[in-house]
Amino acid sequence: MSRFKRGVKVDSRSGFKQEIEKCPVPYGLLKSARKSGQLNLSGRGLTEVPQSVWRLNIDTPEEAQQNVSFAATDRWWEQTDLTKLLLSSNKLETLSQDVKLLPALVVLDIHDNQLRTLPASIGELEQLQKLILSHNKLTELPLEIWKLINLRCLHLQQNLLEQLPEDLGQLCHLEDLDLSNNKLIAVPGSLANLNNLVKLDLSFNNLKSLPPAISKMKNLRMLDCSCNHLESVPPVLAQMAFLEQLYLRHNKLRFLPELPSCKTLKELHCGNNQIEVLEAEHLKHLSSLSVLELRDNKVKSLPEEITLLQGLERLDLTNNDITSVPCGLGTLPKLKSLALEGNPLRTIRRELLTKGTSELLKFLRSRIQDDNPKEEPKTAMTLPSQAKINMHAIKTLKTLDYRIVELKNTLSDINLGFNKMSMISLEFSKLQQLIHVDLRNNLLTSLPMEIEVLSKLRSIILSFNRFKSFPEVLYSIFSLETILISNNQIGGINPVRLKMLDKLSTLDLQNNDIMQVPPELGNCTSLRALMLDGNPFRNPRAAVVAKGTDALLEYLRSRIPT
């Protein structure tokens, strides 16, 4: 055994022991790395990699120069080549060309440093399978990097890359490619050669389109194109038969992509776009879908075909323009989360939305029963057991009056839509418990003033009738939260009286004959959804109306004469 401890030397002049200059990498780590083939130098504040690391498998270890005997576990000549080197979270600005001295490397992780360039010699690491270069300052990559044909995983997210060469297609064994959070304005068509790619992340770039060649990556399971400037998705994307997750959030899409061949698609995320229309064609092939996320779009209606998605577990429709949803949603067997907040819903009360998905689904199921009443015997009169009534094709008002009188103490919800009623019976005023009234698609031109006594009424639907003026009585029912009176011939509205309805949150006046929108309507600050599309007024302009209720009310207030 040597009489001096390693790391200590004797000053020949004084005889005192002095510590030699320490290497930033403890010798014990290097010694251990020779046995294990792995070296973790993450988070050590390194500004450069010590030469002893690059030469780990070349230089004779220090203990070999000492006159010592070795146990079986300390045979330095049986060392293992370094296969895994972790250098993340340091302060490296450059990487030495000597990285080539570790040709057996399989994993090289240099993420979270300050690298601006890479050495050309990195292309000599022929065994490399995993290269992590994320969170650096790379603006370009050496051409030699595309020679690493054994790469399975390449992470380049959070850099400053603006373009990639066609040579990217040479990495034919790549399975995981992350290019997110760069400045890419295009991706090379050679992506088509990456037949083994399973995961591709292109999010947070400046892409305006995707190359059609992307569809040739037949094994792709996850594609993330969120937070770009995409206005459409190439139709050939539909050919990606094994795609399971597709993220298109925060783009400029106006339509949901049609994906007829994506039979295995489980998650489709299209929130924060400009999607207005959801067609049956978009949905009917997505039989495996479990997550459909469409929040913060401009969707106006849902097709009944959405109930074909029997595997759906989460449906997010937050902040759209939806006025009603198919009651069949309540029958979807696996649906655990249904988000509908921020929509001008006609038939679902706001407080119901806060009670959670199970209560919401229960409500929708109950509406199915209401909308499909059992056929009653023609000779008998039966009364519904619950406090709701739904009648279509009413022949005589006497029959209606009879029912109303019988139910006056319990009836809270009445649906008289899609009949040919030209007037409302005065008996209506006896229904003191009424909360919701649906009179859509009739021939009504007025409402009796007597119904102002309905102090519990929260919502009334009068769409598709023949009103030429806003019914006066509605200004006197202060409990109203929702008034839907679209598709009539209403010529104006009294904003001063409307302001007194301080609980009114939804007012639908679409497709009427309103020539002027009174600026004082902007003072109706309780409104959360004001719909005026389809009227012949010139001001406010369509661009202002399209900005939404808050912006519209603010504009109107700015026009009030002072």
Side-chain angles (χ1 to χ4, degrees), residues 12 50 75 80-81 92 98 116 138 231 253 263 273 275 302 304 400 440 450-451 514 539 559:
S12 58
R75 293 173 179 167
T80 302
D81 285 343
L92 303 176
D98 287 338
R116 296 180 185 276
L138 298 170
E231 294 183 2
L253 300 178
K263 305 290 188 184
N273 278 282
I275 297 171
L302 292 180
E304 289 287 341
L400 174 59
R440 78 183 83 182
E450 285 79 4
I451 69 171
I514 299 173
N539 279 304
R559 307 282 289 186

Side-chain angles (χ1 to χ4, degrees), residues 186-448:
V187 287
S190 62
L191 278 175
N193 298 333
L194 305 182
N195 292 323
N196 292 296
L197 205 63
V198 173
K199 180 180 178 183
L200 175 58
D201 194 340
L202 296 169
S203 61
F204 291 92
N205 278 287
N206 298 317
L207 302 175
K208 292 184 178 179
S209 62
L210 295 174
I214 206 168
S215 64
K216 295 183 179 178
M217 294 186 290
K218 299 299 184 184
N219 286 302
L220 201 65
R221 302 286 194 276
M222 195 286 285
L223 174 60
D224 191 346
C225 298
S226 301
C227 299
N228 280 282
H229 306 300
L230 300 176
E231 294 183 2
S232 63
V233 173
V236 290
L237 191 70
Q239 299 171 14
M240 303 179 77
F242 293 102
L243 198 63
E244 295 179 358
Q245 295 173 298
L246 178 57
Y247 294 82
L248 295 166
R249 303 187 75 243
H250 287 276
N251 279 286
K252 298 179 180 180
L253 300 178
R254 294 189 173 274
F255 300 97
L256 203 64
E258 288 187 32
L259 304 166
S261 298
C262 297
K263 305 290 188 184
T264 59
L265 193 67
K266 293 181 172 61
E267 298 186 23
L268 179 56
H269 300 262
C270 292
N272 297 87
N273 278 282
Q274 299 168 22
I275 297 171
E276 296 182 7
V277 179
L278 203 59
E279 300 283 3
E281 289 297 317
H282 299 141
L283 300 172
K284 65 182 184 181
H285 303 289
L286 303 177
S287 55
S288 298
L289 208 62
S290 61
V291 176
L292 178 56
E293 190 260 299
L294 287 165
R295 62 173 299 136
D296 295 286
N297 277 284
K298 299 178 180 179
V299 177
K300 291 182 170 59
S301 63
L302 292 180
E304 289 287 341
E305 284 77 4
I306 199 164
T307 58
L308 297 176
L309 306 181
Q310 291 289 300
L312 206 59
E313 297 177 15
R314 180 161 72 88
L315 176 59
D316 190 347
L317 297 165
T318 306
N319 297 333
N320 276 278
D321 297 329
I322 298 168
T323 54
S324 64
V325 296
C327 295
L329 281 177
T331 65
L332 292 179
K334 296 183 179 180
L335 195 58
K336 298 182 180 68
S337 174
L338 174 59
L340 293 171
E341 294 85 353
N343 284 283
L345 294 165
R346 298 173 177 175
T347 54
I348 301 177
R349 300 187 299 280
R350 188 184 302 177
E351 61 265 27
L352 183 59
L353 297 180
T354 65
K355 291 183 178 180
T357 297
S358 61
E359 287 297 313
L360 189 52
L361 297 181
K362 187 190 299 183
F363 170 79
L364 291 173
R365 287 193 294 273
S366 75
R367 301 287 292 194
I368 295 175
Q369 296 166 2
D370 293 341
D371 289 342
N372 297 283
K374 294 179 181 177
E375 188 172 337
E376 299 172 352
K378 299 233 171 107
T379 56
M381 181 64 68
T382 57
L383 298 177
S385 57
Q386 67 269 56
K388 297 180 181 180
I389 190 167
N390 182 346
M391 292 176 283
H392 295 306
I394 289 174
K395 301 285 174 59
T396 68
L397 287 176
K398 287 183 180 179
T399 303
L400 174 59
D401 290 352
Y402 176 85
R403 285 174 174 264
I404 286 176
V405 171
E406 291 294 316
L407 296 168
K408 65 181 182 180
N409 295 321
T410 56
L411 194 62
S412 65
D413 189 328
I414 188 166
N415 183 348
L416 295 168
F418 297 92
N419 288 291
K420 297 180 180 179
M421 297 168 58
S422 58
M423 60 173 286
I424 291 296
S425 167
L426 296 181
E427 298 289 335
F428 238 73
S429 60
K430 296 180 179 179
L431 300 176
Q432 300 288 317
Q433 306 303 316
L434 263 189
I435 296 174
H436 304 287
V437 175
D438 189 344
L439 294 165
R440 78 183 83 182
N441 291 76
N442 279 288
L443 306 173
L444 300 174
T445 57
S446 64
L447 296 178

